[in-house]
Amino acid sequence: MQELIADFVVEAGENLEQIDLDLLRLEGRPADATLLNGIFRLLHTLKGASGFLGLNRLQAVAHAGEALLDLYRRSGDPMPTEAFDGIVAAIDRVRRLLKALGETGAEPDGDDADLLHHLAALETGTPSVLPPEVRAPPSADPSAVTGPDETWGAPANSVRVDLNLLEAMMRLTSELVLSRNQLLRLHGETRDDPYALSLQRLSTITSALQDTVMQTRMRPMGLVWKTLPRLVRELSRTLGKEVAVELSGAGTEIDRQLLEAVRDPILHMIRNAVDHGIETPDDRLRAGKPRGGVIRAGAMQEGNWIKVRIEDDGRGLDPERIRARAVAQGLLTADEAAGLSEPATFALIMAPGFSTAETVTNISGRGVGMDVVRAHIERIGGQVEITSRAGQGTSFVLRIPLTVAIMPALRIRAGGQAFALALSSVAELIRLEGPQDPRIERVAGRALLQVRDELLDLAGLSELLGLEAPDTGRFAVVILAGERRLALTVDEIVDTEEIVIKPVSGKLRELPEYGGATILGDGSVTLILEPGALATLAGVADGAAAHRRRTQQPSTDAETQTPPVALLYLEVGQDAPVIATMTHVRRLERVPVSEIRHGPSGPLMTYFGRVTPIVPVDGVRLQTEGDQSLVMLAVGDDHIAVAVDRIADMDELPLEIVPTDQAPGRRGTALIRGVPHAVLDLDHYRQQGLARLMGAAAIGAAGCAA
Amino acid sequence: MRTADWLRVRIGSSVFAFRTDAVQDVFTPGAMTPVPRASAEVAGILNLRGRIVTVIRAGRVLGLPDPVGTTDGQAVGFAMDGDLYGLWVDRVEDVVPIADDAILAPPAVPDRWAGVVDGLARIGGELVIVSRPAAFVFPSRPPSQSPVPAFAPLDPETLLEAFAR
């Protein structure tokens, strides 16, 4: 019986949500028969089920509401406001009873005589006043919901699954993925043994299973959207404002855990928009705007991200006042504030300390709880961006990862310990020459790292975490935490790996620097670092890093803005595949080793009738039999042949080379599909070859002269 | 009279007893990943059959010095709020039955001990401290602070209904 009741509560709750939405629409279209029928049918179902379960109060309220609706359903007359308010009151009562039922498993004591009497009076046309303790019904506000009608119900061919079962399935699949990774690692490079094929199949099926299970966790954004019209309606009425809501992208799906995580931040932002964004009708008219404001909430998928936009057409943010406020609160110096870009200024409203100020609502800011909103969004690996135009409105864009359970991570080592960072929060990797690297500057006790034309805050991970072993400062990882960026020095960059995030225990949850932990393929446990908390720990102020930027290009867009370039994938020595750009590359050749001669200054061959020096890449030994792979570089009409072990592939991709590697012959590192690749400096070998060509020419000239 | 089974463990020179139904398993703590900036009693986290376990050093909770052999000892595995913990003790002794009425009220003990001493029982000639492994997780029970501040309560009047799902 209790199970039946629990199922009933869930199902009735869903029906109520649909009724809420229909009621809001009905308010604007009081004679819409389809809406009326829909509400009637849902109430009827509710009545039947509650009668079956012996829930007498629910049954009586549903029945009275149904009877009242039936009157207008039959007559086709538009519903008068009193009747509408009566239905709303009935629904509110149903909601309260259901809530109690869900909590205690039984209907609460008491009766609904007041409400039932009122509804009966409405039905018979007897004058009746709504009992005062029944919630005040909404005034007619037909603009409250616009936008296309969308249903948010589940499709008919679906089953209800216990959430715990779903979670268990997810967990087991994650374990399977880890075991698969472990097996693949154990199997290693042996390619021709009898396990290879089976392992390949296992691997493919595991990936497919993982995708499928992730699919089962996806929920539509509409689940959040449908609560918004009512929230806005109640808030705007309390505040004496007129606000309409426009919703889009209700069908955009997102992992249910993430949906839960973004629900409260979104509701807060909506609340802020009504409270601080939208002006009062009088103010709006004075500003030459329509009386009523509009809040638009939309969601769309962009690759592996969900973009949620919350927009209002209110008064907008005033950068000058935000700067002044930040200076007054000691978040920035006046000089810093003066140089602050607009995006960085807007980001200040999400700074801890800024938003908690009582007076914030007076300065046309809208900081209430924005620091908390940001903390929640960053916690799930998301970002918040703010744009605003004075007098025209404000727009918040949340970028939220599509799924959270499995993600690519960068493994690093610092202070003798391994850690992992979500690859999505890694902007770039930089090789340093230790603590004395000339790009490191120290100003007023702070370390800064020059990266191209910016200065970034620099902190040693080992030092931040209080590890005993000091940093060797061999690498810097630039991490992103929303607007903030921080260069972290680490000892080693290990590799990238797909990891399954597991939450840390309650005991460790008091440490914000860890977003979770993971079990790696070798069975060891690694902590996952939380970029936002590290930035806070390092004292990176909001906007402070951003204002040092001399270019205003967000680094995350760098990849999409870089034009694609032609690339070669090469195997050289023991290294993982390296890449090289095609600059000066004229041809790719495989020549029989018999054509290679060994001259006094190194190997040579004759190529198109000319003596051509062969320069092996460091770590490459020339083949002694078969063919030699060569990359032919142009020097005027001459060539330089650069010898490699294998030419693996060619591709065309946007490439951002990070000058991490100061070793000769290397240009740095580039992230290709999330994997760092060393970039070979072919020009270095071209210069070597050129020197030999010149040397040969000089010797030749000297020989002639002699 | 009800009698329950209790697991006796040695921590320093004291013997503690945990109800066996509060204990999931006993394991030897292997390679652990230390957790920088965690409180001193957190020895680290480890992988126990595919699940991540937070290991708490019982001795440190009580303010005792670590045993000389730092990898000695055994851990008592238990669950709390859905998370797995291991309480790292010097030795797991045995399982003994203790009758409910044989458990005496706790004596006055130093602060560090107050949270973990639920009572006393005499087994054979030995005095045993009756305790719960979960009591070692938050020994001083600091005010529970979420790393991410909770949302400030909204005006209930206007929002209560809107937030109802």
Side-chain angles (χ1 to χ4, degrees):
Chain A
M1 186 66 181
Q2 279 309 318
E3 265 176 44
L4 283 179
I5 288 188
D7 281 349
F8 167 74
V9 170
V10 173
E11 209 157 316
E14 284 174 8
N15 285 345
L16 272 192
E17 286 175 349
Q18 186 62 44
I19 291 180
D20 278 342
L21 203 70
D22 287 350
L23 273 177
L24 282 163
R25 296 210 172 96
L26 189 67
E27 208 178 356
R29 310 200 285 270
D32 190 321
T34 321
L35 284 174
L36 214 53
N37 277 328
I39 302 172
F40 178 82
R41 207 170 46 243
L42 289 171
L43 266 180
H44 186 77
T45 309
L46 194 70
K47 181 181 85 166
S50 47
F52 172 73
L53 292 169
L55 304 167
N56 297 327
R57 289 185 66 180
L58 272 171
Q59 187 189 12
V61 174
H63 173 75
E66 182 197 30
L68 182 59
L69 271 177
D70 199 29
L71 204 65
Y72 298 97
R73 200 171 68 102
R74 285 171 191 280
S75 70
D77 293 337
M79 227 173 159
T81 315
E82 308 83 62
F84 181 83
D85 290 348
I87 298 292
V88 171
I91 298 302
D92 279 341
R93 184 65 55 91
V94 168
R95 192 193 321 281
R96 263 183 246 172
L97 292 174
L98 273 179
K99 188 159 177 280
L101 185 64
E103 282 162 4
T104 64
E107 283 190 321
D109 293 334
D111 70 62
D112 309 290
D114 53 346
L115 179 67
L116 294 177
H117 181 78
H118 177 68
L119 292 175
L122 284 171
E123 196 186 337
T124 56
T126 322
S128 166
V129 181
L130 203 63
E133 68 271 26
V134 177
R135 282 186 56 81
S139 63
D141 179 9
S143 63
V145 181
T146 57
D149 286 11
E150 287 175 76
T151 46
W152 290 308
N157 57 343
S158 64
V159 289
R160 199 179 294 284
V161 179
D162 186 346
L163 215 52
N164 292 325
L165 207 58
L166 206 58
E167 290 298 322
M169 208 157 86
M170 181 70 210
R171 207 173 54 241
L172 289 171
T173 309
S174 300
E175 299 298 345
L176 184 64
V177 170
L178 287 179
S179 307
R180 188 264 320 256
N181 292 352
Q182 210 163 349
L183 264 182
L184 286 175
R185 181 174 290 201
L186 284 174
H187 184 251
E189 293 298 308
T190 29
R191 284 175 191 169
D192 297 331
D193 70 7
Y195 299 110
L197 204 63
S198 305
L199 208 51
Q200 187 55 45
R201 253 186 82 69
L202 175 74
S203 178
T204 316
I205 294 171
T206 306
S207 299
L209 177 66
Q210 185 188 343
D211 285 348
T212 313
V213 172
M214 293 313 277
Q215 279 302 315
T216 64
R217 292 168 53 92
M218 301 305 262
R219 306 287 285 142
M221 278 305 293
L223 292 174
V224 174
W225 278 183
K226 68 183 171 189
T227 61
L228 299 187
R230 187 160 179 159
L231 171 66
V232 170
R233 199 154 151 282
E234 308 259 323
L235 279 171
S236 50
R237 198 145 44 89
T238 312
L239 295 164
K241 295 180 181 178
E242 289 176 19
V243 188
V245 183
E246 284 177 18
L247 302 171
S248 62
T252 308
E253 293 196 317
I254 180 173
D255 187 279
R256 53 163 289 277
Q257 211 177 325
L258 293 173
L259 186 75
E260 284 308 310
V262 298
R263 182 193 298 266
D264 285 355
I266 288 176
L267 294 184
H268 255 257
M269 285 162 51
I270 294 283
R271 183 208 146 136
N272 279 344
V274 180
D275 193 358
H276 308 302
I278 305 281
E279 314 89 328
T280 61
D282 290 349
D283 283 351
R284 289 184 64 91
L285 289 172
R286 235 172 282 136
K289 293 177 169 183
R291 269 181 76 81
V294 181
I295 293 176
R296 290 183 189 86
M300 61 183 291
Q301 188 180 338
E302 267 189 13
N304 283 329
W305 297 86
I306 297 288
K307 216 169 186 176
V308 175
R309 185 186 293 274
I310 310 278
E311 247 170 11
D312 66 60
D313 67 346
R315 59 171 71 94
L317 298 172
D318 181 344
E320 277 315 309
R321 300 179 83 161
I322 295 173
R323 286 187 195 119
R325 183 79 205 159
V327 172
Q329 292 192 323
L331 292 172
L332 292 174
T333 66
D335 280 352
E336 281 177 323
L340 212 54
S341 70
E342 209 161 80
T345 306
F346 294 148
L348 279 173
I349 70 169
M350 300 187 290
F354 185 86
S355 50
T356 51
E358 290 173 355
T359 50
V360 76
T361 52
N362 299 333
I363 62 157
S364 88
R366 55 159 67 179
V368 179
M370 279 310 293
D371 58 331
V372 183
V373 166
R374 183 176 71 179
H376 278 247
I377 298 298
E378 285 183 358
R379 204 171 164 70
I380 54 169
Q383 292 168 9
V384 186
E385 282 166 30
I386 306 172
T387 51
S388 180
R389 295 185 65 178
Q392 294 184 22
T394 306
S395 159
F396 291 87
V397 175
L398 311 182
R399 260 162 63 87
I400 305 157
L402 200 56
T403 60
V404 73
I406 298 188
M407 62 168 195
L410 181 71
R411 293 206 292 141
I412 52 177
R413 291 186 70 84
Q417 195 174 338
F419 297 94
L421 268 165
L423 208 54
S424 58
S425 65
V426 175
E428 57 184 275
L429 310 174
I430 297 169
R431 182 185 285 252
L432 299 176
E433 296 159 22
Q436 302 309 319
D437 192 287
R439 287 166 292 174
I440 299 176
E441 295 177 45
R442 282 168 221 281
V443 181
R446 295 186 74 85
L448 300 167
L449 180 65
Q450 173 94 40
V451 180
R452 288 180 295 280
D453 55 355
E454 302 172 37
L455 282 171
L456 297 179
D457 284 282
L458 181 74
L461 181 57
S462 171
E463 202 181 324
L464 275 187
L465 297 178
L467 298 174
E468 281 168 22
D471 258 308
T472 55
R474 290 178 52 211
F475 295 92
V477 181
V478 179
I479 57 172
L480 298 167
E483 273 287 309
R484 297 180 293 174
R485 294 202 291 165
L486 171 68
L488 275 181
T489 54
V490 301
D491 296 338
E492 201 180 329
I493 289 166
V494 184
D495 60 5
T496 58
E497 185 165 333
E498 293 266 294
I499 58 167
V500 178
I501 304 171
K502 295 172 179 244
V504 292
S505 65
K507 176 73 178 170
L508 303 179
R509 235 163 271 155
E510 59 201 37
L511 299 169
E513 42 277 65
Y514 307 115
T518 188
I519 298 176
L520 296 174
D522 63 2
S524 66
V525 182
T526 293
L527 289 160
I528 302 164
L529 298 170
E530 182 72 35
L534 293 180
T536 305
L537 213 54
V540 180
D542 287 274
H547 98 267
R548 294 199 190 95
R549 291 183 201 173
R550 285 167 220 166
T551 55
Q552 282 304 320
Q553 267 184 8
S555 61
T556 43
D557 290 344
E559 194 170 319
T560 52
Q561 287 168 2
T562 316
V565 296
L567 296 178
L568 281 175
Y569 289 80
L570 305 171
E571 284 173 18
V572 291
Q574 297 299 310
D575 288 353
V578 299
I579 55 171
T581 56
M582 298 279 271
T583 324
H584 297 302
V585 174
R586 190 172 281 162
R587 302 171 80 96
L588 305 173
E589 293 284 358
R590 285 168 65 88
V591 300
V593 293
S594 56
E595 290 190 12
I596 298 175
R597 288 175 288 131
H598 290 270
S601 64
L604 305 163
M605 66 176 196
T606 309
Y607 191 65
F608 286 104
R610 286 171 179 263
V611 173
T612 302
I614 298 174
V615 185
V617 169
D618 292 334
V620 169
R621 286 197 182 164
L622 291 185
Q623 302 288 326
T624 50
E625 54 185 12
D627 293 338
Q628 174 67 50
S629 295
L630 298 171
V631 178
M632 306 304 295
L633 303 177
V635 184
D637 289 343
D638 282 310
H639 289 89
I640 309 287
V642 176
V644 298
D645 288 334
R646 200 168 87 86
I647 298 166
D649 204 356
M650 285 170 70
D651 205 346
E652 199 162 322
L653 284 172
L655 188 70
E656 197 188 0
I657 301 171
V658 176
T660 61
D661 203 324
Q662 300 301 310
R666 296 289 166 102
R667 289 178 62 190
T669 303
L671 283 178
I672 293 189
R673 300 190 180 89
V675 182
H677 280 71
V679 184
L680 203 62
D681 184 7
L682 283 179
D683 203 49
H684 169 79
Y685 299 100
R686 184 167 167 267
Q687 295 300 332
Q688 282 187 9
L690 206 56
R692 278 174 54 194
L693 264 186
M694 295 301 172
I699 290 163
C704 286
Chain B
M1 179 39 47
R2 280 164 34 89
T3 298
D5 282 338
W6 293 76
L7 182 72
R8 288 202 304 167
V9 303
R10 190 167 291 277
I11 305 170
S13 57
S14 308
V15 177
F16 281 71
F18 305 127
R19 272 182 78 118
T20 49
D21 47 15
V23 174
Q24 288 194 342
D25 53 9
V26 172
F27 60 92
T28 307
M32 246 177 280
T33 302
V35 182
R37 292 174 63 84
S39 42
E41 67 268 20
V42 175
I45 52 179
L46 56 76
N47 170 9
L48 184 67
R49 296 185 292 274
R51 298 198 59 182
I52 294 178
V53 178
T54 306
V55 179
I56 309 278
R57 274 211 97 121
R60 291 196 191 161
V61 174
L62 303 175
L64 305 173
D66 287 346
V68 181
T70 50
T71 54
D72 295 347
Q74 281 167 298
V76 176
F78 62 98
M80 179 180 168
D81 302 333
D83 300 317
L84 291 184
Y85 293 90
L87 185 66
W88 191 356
V89 299
D90 296 345
R91 194 164 69 239
V92 172
E93 306 270 8
D94 54 3
V95 173
V96 291
I98 303 180
D100 284 358
D101 66 351
I103 298 174
L104 312 170
V109 289
D111 276 353
R112 284 173 176 277
W113 293 61
V116 299
V117 179
D118 291 344
L120 293 176
R122 188 172 291 281
I123 297 173
E126 195 176 35
L127 211 50
V128 171
I129 298 170
V130 172
S131 180
R132 292 154 293 122
F136 285 77
V137 175
F138 293 103
S140 51
R141 200 77 233 190
S144 63
Q145 261 184 350
S146 164
V148 173
F151 278 97
L154 298 168
D155 176 14
E157 184 67 40
T158 48
L159 292 180
L160 198 71
E161 291 299 318
F163 274 78
R165 292 164 195 161

